[in-house]
Amino acid sequence: MTDAALIKTFRVPARHGYAVEISPYFPSRVACATSQYYGIAGCGTLVVLEQTETGIHIFRSFDWNDSLFDVTWSENNEHVLVTGSGDGSLQIWDTAGPSGPLQVFKEHTQEVYCVDWSQTRGEHLVVSGSWDQTIKVWDPLVKDSLSTFRGHESVIYSTIWSPHIPGCFASAAGDHTLRIWDINTGGARIIIPAHQAEILTCDWNKYDQNLIVTGAVDCTLRCWDLRNIRQPVHHLAGHSYAIRRVKFSPFHANILASCSYDFSVRFWDVSKPDSVLETLEHHTEFVCGLDFSMHIPGQVADCAWDETVKIYTPSCLSVDR
């Protein structure tokens, strides 16, 4: 069991957490995209938090006039972040700059539910997925999107760049499919009917360019080998409600974490027959955001609709376990 005393908690009053991401530059810095009224109405706030020995403190806070559903840090400027909003826009923020956004991109016609900054060398691109059933790729220095990708037949919940292959990203949607795209060809390269339910999340393995995981409303996680998509290579069951977000560990090829509407965060080792390593139930509402630190092995941040962000190292991933 993870010691509750080792969990740092920060409360964001009247804001419900949708996404959390730890800075790729500063080990102590965490961004959280939040919304008023559970994202149904009201405005959103991007909260940038700083961890210290005494706890978690606000470093910067930015307000937007609609819900914020996702956040991603720039991979080439340590002060810059991108958020996706309920009004169909993306915002670029600068923690070293003014209180308003540096830039606003408005092309999507419905909620922007996911944003991700590319991680491969030489590329500085952002991908966004929307409830308007389209995906757009942006250069943050250019006003208009570079390209629009169509094919999903329902709302898009997740868009994630491959950490291995330049110009390649995955998307997951309400049409029950996982799709792999190449920005140079325009269409989906691979289409996988991954679940018989809405897929809310996907992530790439950090060590294997062919391995990707999906999480769905059917309460299961499935890992897919893109070289053979007839059936999943791993099927992980245990959550009791929809899985909202899944992340592969940056330090362990076989370990992943998931968070759910069942108020829990679970840690899994897909190399073991009994894959569940640990279940944490330290939230009192839907857990929507989850991220691993790339700096501190085993450290995790999560956020929930209970107005809290938590930072901790689960006992199953502590170095002295």
Side-chain angles (χ1 to χ4, degrees), residues 108 125-130 132-138 145-152 156 159 161 167 169 171 179-189:
H108 286 294
L125 300 174
V126 173
V127 63
S128 60
S130 170
D132 67 10
Q133 304 183 18
T134 71
I135 300 164
K136 290 180 181 284
V137 170
W138 311 80
S145 64
L146 302 181
S147 44
T148 301
F149 299 85
R150 294 179 172 85
H152 276 297
I156 296 163
T159 48
W161 289 105
F169 64 88
S171 63
R179 298 178 189 230
I180 311 299
W181 308 78
D182 183 331
I183 61 171
N184 299 311
T185 59
R189 193 162 58 82

PDB file of all heavy atoms in Angstrom, residues 108 125-130 132-138 145-152 156 159 161 167 169 171 179-189:
ATOM      1  N   HIS A 108     -11.524  24.045 -35.084  1.00  0.00           N
ATOM      2  CA  HIS A 108     -12.480  22.995 -34.728  1.00  0.00           C
ATOM      3  C   HIS A 108     -13.842  23.632 -34.418  1.00  0.00           C
ATOM      4  O   HIS A 108     -13.920  24.749 -33.891  1.00  0.00           O
ATOM      5  CB  HIS A 108     -12.003  22.227 -33.497  1.00  0.00           C
ATOM      6  CG  HIS A 108     -10.867  21.283 -33.775  1.00  0.00           C
ATOM      7  ND1 HIS A 108     -11.002  20.173 -34.580  1.00  0.00           N
ATOM      8  CD2 HIS A 108      -9.573  21.283 -33.332  1.00  0.00           C
ATOM      9  CE1 HIS A 108      -9.845  19.518 -34.614  1.00  0.00           C
ATOM     10  NE2 HIS A 108      -8.959  20.174 -33.874  1.00  0.00           N
ATOM     11  N   LEU A 125       5.381  19.984 -33.628  1.00  0.00           N
ATOM     12  CA  LEU A 125       4.006  19.939 -34.093  1.00  0.00           C
ATOM     13  C   LEU A 125       3.077  19.588 -32.939  1.00  0.00           C
ATOM     14  O   LEU A 125       3.452  18.876 -32.011  1.00  0.00           O
ATOM     15  CB  LEU A 125       3.844  18.882 -35.199  1.00  0.00           C
ATOM     16  CG  LEU A 125       4.688  19.069 -36.461  1.00  0.00           C
ATOM     17  CD1 LEU A 125       4.527  17.863 -37.375  1.00  0.00           C
ATOM     18  CD2 LEU A 125       4.310  20.352 -37.186  1.00  0.00           C
ATOM     19  N   VAL A 126       1.851  20.097 -33.020  1.00  0.00           N
ATOM     20  CA  VAL A 126       0.811  19.778 -32.056  1.00  0.00           C
ATOM     21  C   VAL A 126      -0.323  19.081 -32.799  1.00  0.00           C
ATOM     22  O   VAL A 126      -0.723  19.518 -33.890  1.00  0.00           O
ATOM     23  CB  VAL A 126       0.291  21.055 -31.356  1.00  0.00           C
ATOM     24  CG1 VAL A 126      -0.921  20.744 -30.483  1.00  0.00           C
ATOM     25  CG2 VAL A 126       1.406  21.700 -30.532  1.00  0.00           C
ATOM     26  N   VAL A 127      -0.843  18.009 -32.224  1.00  0.00           N
ATOM     27  CA  VAL A 127      -2.014  17.341 -32.779  1.00  0.00           C
ATOM     28  C   VAL A 127      -3.191  17.571 -31.839  1.00  0.00           C
ATOM     29  O   VAL A 127      -3.038  17.550 -30.614  1.00  0.00           O
ATOM     30  CB  VAL A 127      -1.752  15.835 -33.008  1.00  0.00           C
ATOM     31  CG1 VAL A 127      -1.471  15.095 -31.704  1.00  0.00           C
ATOM     32  CG2 VAL A 127      -2.909  15.174 -33.756  1.00  0.00           C
ATOM     33  N   SER A 128      -4.356  17.834 -32.425  1.00  0.00           N
ATOM     34  CA  SER A 128      -5.569  18.045 -31.630  1.00  0.00           C
ATOM     35  C   SER A 128      -6.692  17.160 -32.157  1.00  0.00           C
ATOM     36  O   SER A 128      -6.826  16.950 -33.360  1.00  0.00           O
ATOM     37  CB  SER A 128      -6.006  19.522 -31.676  1.00  0.00           C
ATOM     38  OG  SER A 128      -6.290  19.925 -33.007  1.00  0.00           O
ATOM     39  N   GLY A 129      -7.486  16.639 -31.222  1.00  0.00           N
ATOM     40  CA  GLY A 129      -8.648  15.832 -31.586  1.00  0.00           C
ATOM     41  C   GLY A 129      -9.902  16.471 -31.024  1.00  0.00           C
ATOM     42  O   GLY A 129      -9.891  16.999 -29.902  1.00  0.00           O
ATOM     43  N   SER A 130     -10.984  16.405 -31.786  1.00  0.00           N
ATOM     44  CA  SER A 130     -12.186  17.152 -31.416  1.00  0.00           C
ATOM     45  C   SER A 130     -13.445  16.298 -31.488  1.00  0.00           C
ATOM     46  O   SER A 130     -13.495  15.287 -32.181  1.00  0.00           O
ATOM     47  CB  SER A 130     -12.328  18.364 -32.345  1.00  0.00           C
ATOM     48  OG  SER A 130     -13.580  18.998 -32.178  1.00  0.00           O
ATOM     49  N   ASP A 132     -15.791  17.288 -33.093  1.00  0.00           N
ATOM     50  CA  ASP A 132     -16.300  17.485 -34.456  1.00  0.00           C
ATOM     51  C   ASP A 132     -15.850  16.358 -35.405  1.00  0.00           C
ATOM     52  O   ASP A 132     -16.059  16.450 -36.614  1.00  0.00           O
ATOM     53  CB  ASP A 132     -15.901  18.869 -35.006  1.00  0.00           C
ATOM     54  CG  ASP A 132     -14.393  19.015 -35.233  1.00  0.00           C
ATOM     55  OD1 ASP A 132     -13.645  18.021 -35.155  1.00  0.00           O
ATOM     56  OD2 ASP A 132     -13.953  20.160 -35.485  1.00  0.00           O
ATOM     57  N   GLN A 133     -15.221  15.316 -34.834  1.00  0.00           N
ATOM     58  CA  GLN A 133     -14.795  14.109 -35.540  1.00  0.00           C
ATOM     59  C   GLN A 133     -13.572  14.338 -36.428  1.00  0.00           C
ATOM     60  O   GLN A 133     -13.232  13.491 -37.258  1.00  0.00           O
ATOM     61  CB  GLN A 133     -15.944  13.491 -36.356  1.00  0.00           C
ATOM     62  CG  GLN A 133     -17.166  13.169 -35.514  1.00  0.00           C
ATOM     63  CD  GLN A 133     -18.276  12.489 -36.303  1.00  0.00           C
ATOM     64  OE1 GLN A 133     -18.054  11.951 -37.380  1.00  0.00           O
ATOM     65  NE2 GLN A 133     -19.483  12.524 -35.748  1.00  0.00           N
ATOM     66  N   THR A 134     -12.874  15.463 -36.257  1.00  0.00           N
ATOM     67  CA  THR A 134     -11.658  15.709 -37.032  1.00  0.00           C
ATOM     68  C   THR A 134     -10.439  15.807 -36.118  1.00  0.00           C
ATOM     69  O   THR A 134     -10.552  16.101 -34.921  1.00  0.00           O
ATOM     70  CB  THR A 134     -11.732  16.998 -37.868  1.00  0.00           C
ATOM     71  OG1 THR A 134     -11.672  18.144 -36.997  1.00  0.00           O
ATOM     72  CG2 THR A 134     -12.989  17.056 -38.721  1.00  0.00           C
ATOM     73  N   ILE A 135      -9.285  15.553 -36.723  1.00  0.00           N
ATOM     74  CA  ILE A 135      -7.980  15.721 -36.085  1.00  0.00           C
ATOM     75  C   ILE A 135      -7.241  16.779 -36.885  1.00  0.00           C
ATOM     76  O   ILE A 135      -7.292  16.792 -38.118  1.00  0.00           O
ATOM     77  CB  ILE A 135      -7.197  14.397 -36.109  1.00  0.00           C
ATOM     78  CG1 ILE A 135      -7.954  13.303 -35.363  1.00  0.00           C
ATOM     79  CG2 ILE A 135      -5.791  14.588 -35.545  1.00  0.00           C
ATOM     80  CD1 ILE A 135      -7.453  11.897 -35.674  1.00  0.00           C
ATOM     81  N   LYS A 136      -6.562  17.676 -36.191  1.00  0.00           N
ATOM     82  CA  LYS A 136      -5.774  18.704 -36.883  1.00  0.00           C
ATOM     83  C   LYS A 136      -4.335  18.693 -36.365  1.00  0.00           C
ATOM     84  O   LYS A 136      -4.092  18.433 -35.180  1.00  0.00           O
ATOM     85  CB  LYS A 136      -6.391  20.088 -36.698  1.00  0.00           C
ATOM     86  CG  LYS A 136      -7.711  20.267 -37.451  1.00  0.00           C
ATOM     87  CD  LYS A 136      -8.308  21.652 -37.246  1.00  0.00           C
ATOM     88  CE  LYS A 136      -9.641  21.780 -37.983  1.00  0.00           C
ATOM     89  NZ  LYS A 136      -9.478  21.957 -39.441  1.00  0.00           N
ATOM     90  N   VAL A 137      -3.410  18.974 -37.280  1.00  0.00           N
ATOM     91  CA  VAL A 137      -2.004  19.105 -36.920  1.00  0.00           C
ATOM     92  C   VAL A 137      -1.593  20.557 -37.128  1.00  0.00           C
ATOM     93  O   VAL A 137      -1.931  21.176 -38.148  1.00  0.00           O
ATOM     94  CB  VAL A 137      -1.124  18.158 -37.760  1.00  0.00           C
ATOM     95  CG1 VAL A 137       0.357  18.467 -37.564  1.00  0.00           C
ATOM     96  CG2 VAL A 137      -1.407  16.702 -37.373  1.00  0.00           C
ATOM     97  N   TRP A 138      -0.889  21.090 -36.128  1.00  0.00           N
ATOM     98  CA  TRP A 138      -0.540  22.505 -36.099  1.00  0.00           C
ATOM     99  C   TRP A 138       0.966  22.691 -35.931  1.00  0.00           C
ATOM    100  O   TRP A 138       1.615  21.922 -35.221  1.00  0.00           O
ATOM    101  CB  TRP A 138      -1.213  23.205 -34.906  1.00  0.00           C
ATOM    102  CG  TRP A 138      -2.671  22.938 -34.748  1.00  0.00           C
ATOM    103  CD1 TRP A 138      -3.256  21.834 -34.190  1.00  0.00           C
ATOM    104  CD2 TRP A 138      -3.754  23.791 -35.140  1.00  0.00           C
ATOM    105  NE1 TRP A 138      -4.623  21.954 -34.202  1.00  0.00           N
ATOM    106  CE2 TRP A 138      -4.962  23.142 -34.776  1.00  0.00           C
ATOM    107  CE3 TRP A 138      -3.813  25.060 -35.744  1.00  0.00           C
ATOM    108  CZ2 TRP A 138      -6.214  23.706 -35.011  1.00  0.00           C
ATOM    109  CZ3 TRP A 138      -5.058  25.613 -35.973  1.00  0.00           C
ATOM    110  CH2 TRP A 138      -6.245  24.938 -35.623  1.00  0.00           C
ATOM    111  N   SER A 145      -3.977  25.660 -39.305  1.00  0.00           N
ATOM    112  CA  SER A 145      -3.536  24.271 -39.166  1.00  0.00           C
ATOM    113  C   SER A 145      -2.829  23.821 -40.448  1.00  0.00           C
ATOM    114  O   SER A 145      -3.124  24.302 -41.547  1.00  0.00           O
ATOM    115  CB  SER A 145      -4.728  23.360 -38.870  1.00  0.00           C
ATOM    116  OG  SER A 145      -5.642  23.358 -39.948  1.00  0.00           O
ATOM    117  N   LEU A 146      -1.905  22.884 -40.286  1.00  0.00           N
ATOM    118  CA  LEU A 146      -1.168  22.368 -41.445  1.00  0.00           C
ATOM    119  C   LEU A 146      -1.988  21.352 -42.209  1.00  0.00           C
ATOM    120  O   LEU A 146      -1.889  21.254 -43.432  1.00  0.00           O
ATOM    121  CB  LEU A 146       0.140  21.717 -40.978  1.00  0.00           C
ATOM    122  CG  LEU A 146       1.112  22.596 -40.198  1.00  0.00           C
ATOM    123  CD1 LEU A 146       2.356  21.797 -39.837  1.00  0.00           C
ATOM    124  CD2 LEU A 146       1.493  23.835 -41.001  1.00  0.00           C
ATOM    125  N   SER A 147      -2.799  20.565 -41.481  1.00  0.00           N
ATOM    126  CA  SER A 147      -3.611  19.550 -42.139  1.00  0.00           C
ATOM    127  C   SER A 147      -4.751  19.107 -41.231  1.00  0.00           C
ATOM    128  O   SER A 147      -4.690  19.263 -40.005  1.00  0.00           O
ATOM    129  CB  SER A 147      -2.759  18.334 -42.548  1.00  0.00           C
ATOM    130  OG  SER A 147      -1.891  17.968 -41.504  1.00  0.00           O
ATOM    131  N   THR A 148      -5.794  18.565 -41.862  1.00  0.00           N
ATOM    132  CA  THR A 148      -6.966  18.047 -41.158  1.00  0.00           C
ATOM    133  C   THR A 148      -7.173  16.595 -41.571  1.00  0.00           C
ATOM    134  O   THR A 148      -7.095  16.266 -42.757  1.00  0.00           O
ATOM    135  CB  THR A 148      -8.223  18.875 -41.496  1.00  0.00           C
ATOM    136  OG1 THR A 148      -7.988  20.233 -41.127  1.00  0.00           O
ATOM    137  CG2 THR A 148      -9.440  18.355 -40.766  1.00  0.00           C
ATOM    138  N   PHE A 149      -7.431  15.727 -40.591  1.00  0.00           N
ATOM    139  CA  PHE A 149      -7.589  14.303 -40.842  1.00  0.00           C
ATOM    140  C   PHE A 149      -9.011  13.885 -40.494  1.00  0.00           C
ATOM    141  O   PHE A 149      -9.497  14.142 -39.391  1.00  0.00           O
ATOM    142  CB  PHE A 149      -6.583  13.506 -40.000  1.00  0.00           C
ATOM    143  CG  PHE A 149      -5.152  13.843 -40.317  1.00  0.00           C
ATOM    144  CD1 PHE A 149      -4.539  14.933 -39.707  1.00  0.00           C
ATOM    145  CD2 PHE A 149      -4.429  13.099 -41.236  1.00  0.00           C
ATOM    146  CE1 PHE A 149      -3.225  15.267 -40.007  1.00  0.00           C
ATOM    147  CE2 PHE A 149      -3.113  13.426 -41.541  1.00  0.00           C
ATOM    148  CZ  PHE A 149      -2.505  14.510 -40.912  1.00  0.00           C
ATOM    149  N   ARG A 150      -9.650  13.242 -41.468  1.00  0.00           N
ATOM    150  CA  ARG A 150     -11.030  12.774 -41.286  1.00  0.00           C
ATOM    151  C   ARG A 150     -11.094  11.270 -41.462  1.00  0.00           C
ATOM    152  O   ARG A 150     -10.290  10.688 -42.171  1.00  0.00           O
ATOM    153  CB  ARG A 150     -11.960  13.460 -42.288  1.00  0.00           C
ATOM    154  CG  ARG A 150     -12.097  14.952 -42.050  1.00  0.00           C
ATOM    155  CD  ARG A 150     -13.006  15.619 -43.085  1.00  0.00           C
ATOM    156  NE  ARG A 150     -13.269  17.004 -42.745  1.00  0.00           N
ATOM    157  CZ  ARG A 150     -12.479  18.011 -43.064  1.00  0.00           C
ATOM    158  NH1 ARG A 150     -11.371  17.776 -43.762  1.00  0.00           N
ATOM    159  NH2 ARG A 150     -12.784  19.253 -42.715  1.00  0.00           N
ATOM    160  N   GLY A 151     -12.066  10.655 -40.832  1.00  0.00           N
ATOM    161  CA  GLY A 151     -12.240   9.212 -40.940  1.00  0.00           C
ATOM    162  C   GLY A 151     -12.995   8.641 -39.753  1.00  0.00           C
ATOM    163  O   GLY A 151     -13.806   7.732 -39.905  1.00  0.00           O
ATOM    164  N   HIS A 152     -12.736   9.175 -38.563  1.00  0.00           N
ATOM    165  CA  HIS A 152     -13.497   8.725 -37.394  1.00  0.00           C
ATOM    166  C   HIS A 152     -14.969   9.079 -37.582  1.00  0.00           C
ATOM    167  O   HIS A 152     -15.304  10.138 -38.136  1.00  0.00           O
ATOM    168  CB  HIS A 152     -12.966   9.385 -36.125  1.00  0.00           C
ATOM    169  CG  HIS A 152     -11.777   8.677 -35.534  1.00  0.00           C
ATOM    170  ND1 HIS A 152     -11.830   7.387 -35.061  1.00  0.00           N
ATOM    171  CD2 HIS A 152     -10.498   9.099 -35.330  1.00  0.00           C
ATOM    172  CE1 HIS A 152     -10.640   7.040 -34.592  1.00  0.00           C
ATOM    173  NE2 HIS A 152      -9.810   8.052 -34.741  1.00  0.00           N
ATOM    174  N   ILE A 156     -13.776  12.314 -31.060  1.00  0.00           N
ATOM    175  CA  ILE A 156     -12.405  11.868 -30.830  1.00  0.00           C
ATOM    176  C   ILE A 156     -12.009  12.251 -29.406  1.00  0.00           C
ATOM    177  O   ILE A 156     -12.160  13.404 -28.995  1.00  0.00           O
ATOM    178  CB  ILE A 156     -11.450  12.478 -31.871  1.00  0.00           C
ATOM    179  CG1 ILE A 156     -11.825  11.951 -33.263  1.00  0.00           C
ATOM    180  CG2 ILE A 156      -9.999  12.148 -31.535  1.00  0.00           C
ATOM    181  CD1 ILE A 156     -11.263  12.756 -34.402  1.00  0.00           C
ATOM    182  N   THR A 159      -5.594  11.796 -28.898  1.00  0.00           N
ATOM    183  CA  THR A 159      -4.643  11.845 -30.016  1.00  0.00           C
ATOM    184  C   THR A 159      -3.240  11.946 -29.419  1.00  0.00           C
ATOM    185  O   THR A 159      -2.953  12.855 -28.646  1.00  0.00           O
ATOM    186  CB  THR A 159      -4.889  13.052 -30.938  1.00  0.00           C
ATOM    187  OG1 THR A 159      -5.034  14.244 -30.135  1.00  0.00           O
ATOM    188  CG2 THR A 159      -6.131  12.871 -31.787  1.00  0.00           C
ATOM    189  N   TRP A 161       1.058  11.472 -30.250  1.00  0.00           N
ATOM    190  CA  TRP A 161       2.171  11.267 -31.174  1.00  0.00           C
ATOM    191  C   TRP A 161       2.968  10.022 -30.794  1.00  0.00           C
ATOM    192  O   TRP A 161       3.181   9.741 -29.609  1.00  0.00           O
ATOM    193  CB  TRP A 161       3.131  12.453 -31.134  1.00  0.00           C
ATOM    194  CG  TRP A 161       2.609  13.708 -31.741  1.00  0.00           C
ATOM    195  CD1 TRP A 161       2.166  14.813 -31.068  1.00  0.00           C
ATOM    196  CD2 TRP A 161       2.490  14.018 -33.140  1.00  0.00           C
ATOM    197  NE1 TRP A 161       1.769  15.776 -31.967  1.00  0.00           N
ATOM    198  CE2 TRP A 161       1.964  15.318 -33.236  1.00  0.00           C
ATOM    199  CE3 TRP A 161       2.782  13.317 -34.314  1.00  0.00           C
ATOM    200  CZ2 TRP A 161       1.721  15.955 -34.468  1.00  0.00           C
ATOM    201  CZ3 TRP A 161       2.541  13.935 -35.536  1.00  0.00           C
ATOM    202  CH2 TRP A 161       2.011  15.230 -35.605  1.00  0.00           C
ATOM    203  N   GLY A 167       6.162  12.079 -37.468  1.00  0.00           N
ATOM    204  CA  GLY A 167       4.964  12.270 -38.285  1.00  0.00           C
ATOM    205  C   GLY A 167       3.883  11.240 -38.107  1.00  0.00           C
ATOM    206  O   GLY A 167       2.919  11.205 -38.868  1.00  0.00           O
ATOM    207  N   PHE A 169       0.953   9.466 -35.540  1.00  0.00           N
ATOM    208  CA  PHE A 169       0.190   9.606 -34.306  1.00  0.00           C
ATOM    209  C   PHE A 169      -0.955   8.605 -34.270  1.00  0.00           C
ATOM    210  O   PHE A 169      -1.366   8.059 -35.303  1.00  0.00           O
ATOM    211  CB  PHE A 169      -0.320  11.037 -34.101  1.00  0.00           C
ATOM    212  CG  PHE A 169      -1.300  11.516 -35.138  1.00  0.00           C
ATOM    213  CD1 PHE A 169      -2.662  11.294 -34.998  1.00  0.00           C
ATOM    214  CD2 PHE A 169      -0.864  12.215 -36.258  1.00  0.00           C
ATOM    215  CE1 PHE A 169      -3.574  11.744 -35.946  1.00  0.00           C
ATOM    216  CE2 PHE A 169      -1.764  12.679 -37.224  1.00  0.00           C
ATOM    217  CZ  PHE A 169      -3.121  12.440 -37.061  1.00  0.00           C
ATOM    218  N   SER A 171      -4.974   7.765 -32.684  1.00  0.00           N
ATOM    219  CA  SER A 171      -6.198   8.402 -32.187  1.00  0.00           C
ATOM    220  C   SER A 171      -7.170   7.335 -31.723  1.00  0.00           C
ATOM    221  O   SER A 171      -7.191   6.215 -32.235  1.00  0.00           O
ATOM    222  CB  SER A 171      -6.843   9.264 -33.280  1.00  0.00           C
ATOM    223  OG  SER A 171      -7.238   8.450 -34.378  1.00  0.00           O
ATOM    224  N   ARG A 179      -6.903   4.321 -34.398  1.00  0.00           N
ATOM    225  CA  ARG A 179      -6.377   4.548 -35.745  1.00  0.00           C
ATOM    226  C   ARG A 179      -4.957   5.096 -35.666  1.00  0.00           C
ATOM    227  O   ARG A 179      -4.644   5.913 -34.803  1.00  0.00           O
ATOM    228  CB  ARG A 179      -7.279   5.509 -36.539  1.00  0.00           C
ATOM    229  CG  ARG A 179      -8.680   4.925 -36.737  1.00  0.00           C
ATOM    230  CD  ARG A 179      -9.631   5.853 -37.462  1.00  0.00           C
ATOM    231  NE  ARG A 179     -10.981   5.303 -37.417  1.00  0.00           N
ATOM    232  CZ  ARG A 179     -11.794   5.156 -38.469  1.00  0.00           C
ATOM    233  NH1 ARG A 179     -11.393   5.548 -39.671  1.00  0.00           N
ATOM    234  NH2 ARG A 179     -12.992   4.632 -38.334  1.00  0.00           N
ATOM    235  N   ILE A 180      -4.118   4.640 -36.588  1.00  0.00           N
ATOM    236  CA  ILE A 180      -2.737   5.094 -36.688  1.00  0.00           C
ATOM    237  C   ILE A 180      -2.615   5.901 -37.975  1.00  0.00           C
ATOM    238  O   ILE A 180      -2.995   5.429 -39.054  1.00  0.00           O
ATOM    239  CB  ILE A 180      -1.744   3.911 -36.706  1.00  0.00           C
ATOM    240  CG1 ILE A 180      -2.045   2.929 -35.569  1.00  0.00           C
ATOM    241  CG2 ILE A 180      -0.310   4.422 -36.655  1.00  0.00           C
ATOM    242  CD1 ILE A 180      -1.944   3.511 -34.168  1.00  0.00           C
ATOM    243  N   TRP A 181      -2.068   7.116 -37.863  1.00  0.00           N
ATOM    244  CA  TRP A 181      -2.024   8.060 -38.975  1.00  0.00           C
ATOM    245  C   TRP A 181      -0.588   8.461 -39.298  1.00  0.00           C
ATOM    246  O   TRP A 181       0.273   8.453 -38.424  1.00  0.00           O
ATOM    247  CB  TRP A 181      -2.799   9.331 -38.627  1.00  0.00           C
ATOM    248  CG  TRP A 181      -4.190   9.120 -38.130  1.00  0.00           C
ATOM    249  CD1 TRP A 181      -4.568   8.723 -36.880  1.00  0.00           C
ATOM    250  CD2 TRP A 181      -5.410   9.312 -38.862  1.00  0.00           C
ATOM    251  NE1 TRP A 181      -5.939   8.659 -36.783  1.00  0.00           N
ATOM    252  CE2 TRP A 181      -6.486   9.014 -37.978  1.00  0.00           C
ATOM    253  CE3 TRP A 181      -5.706   9.720 -40.168  1.00  0.00           C
ATOM    254  CZ2 TRP A 181      -7.816   9.102 -38.368  1.00  0.00           C
ATOM    255  CZ3 TRP A 181      -7.027   9.812 -40.551  1.00  0.00           C
ATOM    256  CH2 TRP A 181      -8.077   9.506 -39.668  1.00  0.00           C
ATOM    257  N   ASP A 182      -0.398   8.857 -40.544  1.00  0.00           N
ATOM    258  CA  ASP A 182       0.883   9.396 -41.000  1.00  0.00           C
ATOM    259  C   ASP A 182       0.604  10.756 -41.622  1.00  0.00           C
ATOM    260  O   ASP A 182      -0.221  10.861 -42.530  1.00  0.00           O
ATOM    261  CB  ASP A 182       1.502   8.443 -42.040  1.00  0.00           C
ATOM    262  CG  ASP A 182       2.872   8.886 -42.510  1.00  0.00           C
ATOM    263  OD1 ASP A 182       3.140  10.111 -42.513  1.00  0.00           O
ATOM    264  OD2 ASP A 182       3.676   8.023 -42.897  1.00  0.00           O
ATOM    265  N   ILE A 183       1.274  11.801 -41.106  1.00  0.00           N
ATOM    266  CA  ILE A 183       0.949  13.148 -41.595  1.00  0.00           C
ATOM    267  C   ILE A 183       1.303  13.334 -43.073  1.00  0.00           C
ATOM    268  O   ILE A 183       0.792  14.236 -43.731  1.00  0.00           O
ATOM    269  CB  ILE A 183       1.641  14.250 -40.758  1.00  0.00           C
ATOM    270  CG1 ILE A 183       3.163  14.128 -40.824  1.00  0.00           C
ATOM    271  CG2 ILE A 183       1.152  14.232 -39.330  1.00  0.00           C
ATOM    272  CD1 ILE A 183       3.891  15.308 -40.198  1.00  0.00           C
ATOM    273  N   ASN A 184       2.139  12.452 -43.610  1.00  0.00           N
ATOM    274  CA  ASN A 184       2.554  12.601 -45.009  1.00  0.00           C
ATOM    275  C   ASN A 184       1.587  11.945 -45.982  1.00  0.00           C
ATOM    276  O   ASN A 184       1.590  12.280 -47.165  1.00  0.00           O
ATOM    277  CB  ASN A 184       3.954  12.000 -45.200  1.00  0.00           C
ATOM    278  CG  ASN A 184       4.991  12.716 -44.342  1.00  0.00           C
ATOM    279  OD1 ASN A 184       5.054  13.937 -44.340  1.00  0.00           O
ATOM    280  ND2 ASN A 184       5.779  11.953 -43.602  1.00  0.00           N
ATOM    281  N   THR A 185       0.753  11.030 -45.494  1.00  0.00           N
ATOM    282  CA  THR A 185      -0.165  10.339 -46.403  1.00  0.00           C
ATOM    283  C   THR A 185      -1.611  10.803 -46.244  1.00  0.00           C
ATOM    284  O   THR A 185      -2.415  10.630 -47.151  1.00  0.00           O
ATOM    285  CB  THR A 185      -0.109   8.811 -46.188  1.00  0.00           C
ATOM    286  OG1 THR A 185      -0.469   8.531 -44.828  1.00  0.00           O
ATOM    287  CG2 THR A 185       1.299   8.281 -46.442  1.00  0.00           C
ATOM    288  N   GLY A 186      -1.946  11.369 -45.088  1.00  0.00           N
ATOM    289  CA  GLY A 186      -3.285  11.939 -44.921  1.00  0.00           C
ATOM    290  C   GLY A 186      -4.312  10.989 -44.349  1.00  0.00           C
ATOM    291  O   GLY A 186      -5.084  11.370 -43.485  1.00  0.00           O
ATOM    292  N   GLY A 187      -4.352   9.746 -44.805  1.00  0.00           N
ATOM    293  CA  GLY A 187      -5.355   8.809 -44.304  1.00  0.00           C
ATOM    294  C   GLY A 187      -4.834   7.968 -43.168  1.00  0.00           C
ATOM    295  O   GLY A 187      -3.636   7.979 -42.851  1.00  0.00           O
ATOM    296  N   ALA A 188      -5.735   7.211 -42.551  1.00  0.00           N
ATOM    297  CA  ALA A 188      -5.325   6.307 -41.479  1.00  0.00           C
ATOM    298  C   ALA A 188      -4.564   5.130 -42.082  1.00  0.00           C
ATOM    299  O   ALA A 188      -5.031   4.484 -43.023  1.00  0.00           O
ATOM    300  CB  ALA A 188      -6.542   5.825 -40.705  1.00  0.00           C
ATOM    301  N   ARG A 189      -3.386   4.853 -41.505  1.00  0.00           N
ATOM    302  CA  ARG A 189      -2.542   3.757 -42.001  1.00  0.00           C
ATOM    303  C   ARG A 189      -3.053   2.419 -41.481  1.00  0.00           C
ATOM    304  O   ARG A 189      -2.984   1.405 -42.170  1.00  0.00           O
ATOM    305  CB  ARG A 189      -1.114   4.015 -41.533  1.00  0.00           C
ATOM    306  CG  ARG A 189      -0.049   3.194 -42.175  1.00  0.00           C
ATOM    307  CD  ARG A 189       1.337   3.827 -41.973  1.00  0.00           C
ATOM    308  NE  ARG A 189       1.686   4.015 -40.570  1.00  0.00           N
ATOM    309  CZ  ARG A 189       2.184   3.064 -39.791  1.00  0.00           C
ATOM    310  NH1 ARG A 189       2.364   1.850 -40.268  1.00  0.00           N
ATOM    311  NH2 ARG A 189       2.508   3.318 -38.538  1.00  0.00           N
TER     312      ARG A 189
END
